[in-house]
Amino acid sequence: MRLTEDRMYQASLEKDSTFEGTYWMAVKTTGIFCRPTCTARKPKRENVEFFLDTKEAIAHGYRACKVCRPLEKLNETPSYIRELLNELMGDESVKIKDSDLIARNIEPVTVRRWFLKNHGITFHAFQRKLKVNKAFKRIKNGESILDAAMASGYESLSGFNERFKNIVGVSPKHTGRQKIIDLKRIETPLGTMFACAVDEGICLLEFTDRKNMDRQFASLSKFLNAEIVQGENKHFQQLERELQEYFEGRRKSFDVPLYITGTEFQEKVWQLLCEIPMGETRTYKQQSEVLGNPKAIRAVGTANGINKIAILVPCHRVIGSNGDLVGYAGGIWRKQKLLELEKAILF
């Protein structure tokens, strides 16, 4: 569909996230410009104009909206949240109370809302899960349950055992039959991403605003029979470094280990995606033909859509038969940006 001004205005009325990053709407009566998904009251059609670049909007005298903050990276983790996460990751015995937040001029309600929105639990529940995740790893590495409990700041072994079982699903002494999937937020130029990893490699990489993100988490957790908990993993540092190099135009392929989870057919489809050279695209029909079943176009499209490892398993390189950029869970605008980036890397 051609991106006309009427279509852009309609998308803004609908707060359509698939148009994020493709245009910005400026309001003549207020002098501000917004994202397509801005929640502020929508102006009349005759009072707006559209720009394909934020610099262009600023050059025309508009200022950034304070509601949707169009100059910030999409869903970027606030700096104060990143500081809290770094502190918790650095010392498992740390417990940050509401009074500690107030002392730092941080409103506890704001922190609570952010964690509920982005992790589905409160900040204090998040801290408890993080402590248990670290204790789980200590026990897996051979430490005694008592030492793991004390290192996590628990004064009562019974309290630790109860908390551990509530979060992990088994008691500490039965951890041999249970797995933990580490979760981390990673910032990129196209928005914040969730990364998940196990010992074998990266098992999920998705933009945080992906539709049906909860289903992706649930599918991964069920497949691996594991609990997804915020925590560090040996593969995250390499992943972040390679993603940074990729977005800076300095990397053509990824070396970080992957741990792909799916049916036999899905894994074949995803493996085929990895064989599409950077800078090139394939249609769903072409992909199905390579698999030996030209009629499996819909099945190939479905498998592409539930790929859990974005960018590294490049489902963005598959397009419609007519050349349209269709079927990308992270948003068509991101698909376009990724393809443009990859052509720029090569040429």
Side-chain angles (χ1 to χ4, degrees):
M1 180 181 292
R2 183 168 170 267
L3 194 59
T4 63
E5 289 195 351
D6 285 341
R7 184 66 189 95
M8 289 187 278
Y9 182 69
Q10 185 62 35
S12 291
L13 291 180
E14 298 169 354
K15 304 180 183 66
D16 192 335
S17 61
T18 62
F19 286 83
E20 274 287 354
T22 60
Y23 75 87
W24 287 262
M25 184 174 74
V27 185
K28 300 175 183 177
T29 52
T30 61
I32 65 170
F33 67 95
C34 306
R35 300 178 184 275
T37 54
C38 186
T39 57
R41 185 176 178 180
K42 301 303 179 184
K44 294 180 180 180
R45 174 67 181 85
E46 60 266 25
N47 292 330
V48 301
E49 60 179 324
F50 300 91
F51 299 97
L52 303 182
D53 189 287
T54 57
K55 293 179 180 179
E56 187 182 359
I58 294 172
H60 280 73
Y62 290 100
R63 62 186 186 278
C65 173
K66 293 183 178 180
V67 176
C68 64
R69 300 180 179 181
L71 295 179
E72 295 183 4
K73 293 178 182 177
L74 187 63
N75 297 325
E76 184 175 17
T77 307
S79 58
Y80 65 91
I81 294 291
R82 290 202 297 268
E83 290 174 4
L84 292 174
L85 291 174
N86 289 336
E87 185 174 350
L88 292 172
M89 296 302 299
D91 187 349
E92 59 205 271
S93 65
V94 168
K95 182 178 181 181
I96 302 176
K97 303 177 182 178
D98 285 352
S99 57
D100 299 321
L101 296 175
I102 293 173
R104 304 179 192 189
N105 294 318
I106 301 174
E107 177 55 55
V109 173
T110 302
V111 175
R112 176 186 175 87
R113 287 174 178 168
W114 188 90
F115 276 89
L116 282 171
K117 176 183 177 181
N118 292 280
H119 291 281
I121 55 177
T122 66
F123 177 50
H124 298 302
F126 177 91
Q127 292 186 71
R128 291 192 292 269
K129 293 189 74 171
L130 183 59
K131 286 180 184 292
V132 167
N133 181 21
K134 291 186 175 183
F136 177 95
K137 291 181 178 179
R138 284 179 173 274
I139 296 171
K140 280 280 193 178
N141 290 331
E143 284 195 23
S144 69
I145 295 174
L146 178 60
D147 287 344
M150 296 300 104
S152 300
Y154 285 89
E155 299 178 356
S156 165
L157 188 57
S158 61
F160 171 75
N161 287 337
E162 182 179 358
R163 179 73 67 191
F164 192 101
K165 187 173 183 178
N166 286 340
I167 292 177
V168 179
V170 296
S171 64
K173 65 181 180 180
H174 291 141
T175 54
R177 300 196 300 268
Q178 185 69 1
K179 292 187 70 173
I180 284 285
I181 300 170
D182 293 306
L183 169 71
K184 185 174 185 178
R185 295 174 65 88
I186 294 178
E187 309 300 329
T188 81
L190 295 186
T192 306
M193 302 187 79
F194 282 128
C196 285
V198 290
D199 289 342
E200 295 86 347
I202 302 298
C203 53
L204 181 144
L205 183 65
E206 292 279 16
F207 290 100
T208 58
D209 59 353
R210 183 199 196 280
K211 292 182 179 179
N212 301 319
M213 192 66 239
D214 289 345
R215 292 184 186 177
Q216 289 288 71
F217 281 142
S219 172
L220 180 64
S221 180
K222 181 179 180 181
F223 192 95
L224 295 179
N225 187 27
E227 182 76 15
I228 299 176
V229 180
Q230 179 90 18
E232 280 297 341
N233 185 283
K234 62 183 180 182
H235 300 297
F236 285 154
Q237 186 174 1
Q238 181 181 355
L239 173 64
E240 290 183 276
R241 184 182 71 252
E242 292 186 4
L243 281 174
Q244 180 179 352
E245 293 170 352
Y246 169 78
F247 280 110
E248 290 176 351
R250 299 186 290 114
R251 175 170 286 274
K252 297 180 180 180
S253 60
F254 296 93
D255 301 317
V256 62
L258 304 183
Y259 188 62
I260 296 176
T261 58
T263 66
E264 182 179 354
F265 176 78
Q266 289 167 351
E267 291 187 11
K268 286 182 179 179
V269 172
W270 299 333
Q271 179 57 46
L272 194 59
L273 291 173
C274 296
E275 296 173 10
I276 303 175
M278 177 180 285
E280 298 184 19
T281 58
R282 299 286 187 271
T283 66
Y284 294 101
K285 182 179 181 180
Q286 287 174 323
Q287 292 293 87
S288 63
E289 289 174 343
V290 173
L291 287 172
N293 188 353
K295 296 183 179 180
I297 298 175
R298 185 179 295 274
V300 167
T302 299
N304 271 23
I306 57 177
N307 166 37
K308 297 183 183 67
I309 308 178
I311 301 178
L312 310 186
V313 178
C315 52
H316 59 276
R317 295 177 190 165
V318 181
I319 61 176
S321 297
N322 59 358
D324 286 348
L325 304 184
V326 296
Y328 193 63
I332 298 301
W333 70 276
R334 285 196 179 107
K335 187 169 189 170
Q336 180 177 344
K337 296 288 186 182
L338 289 170
L339 292 175
E340 289 174 353
L341 169 66
E342 293 181 350
K343 287 184 179 180
I345 291 175
L346 293 176
F347 306 107

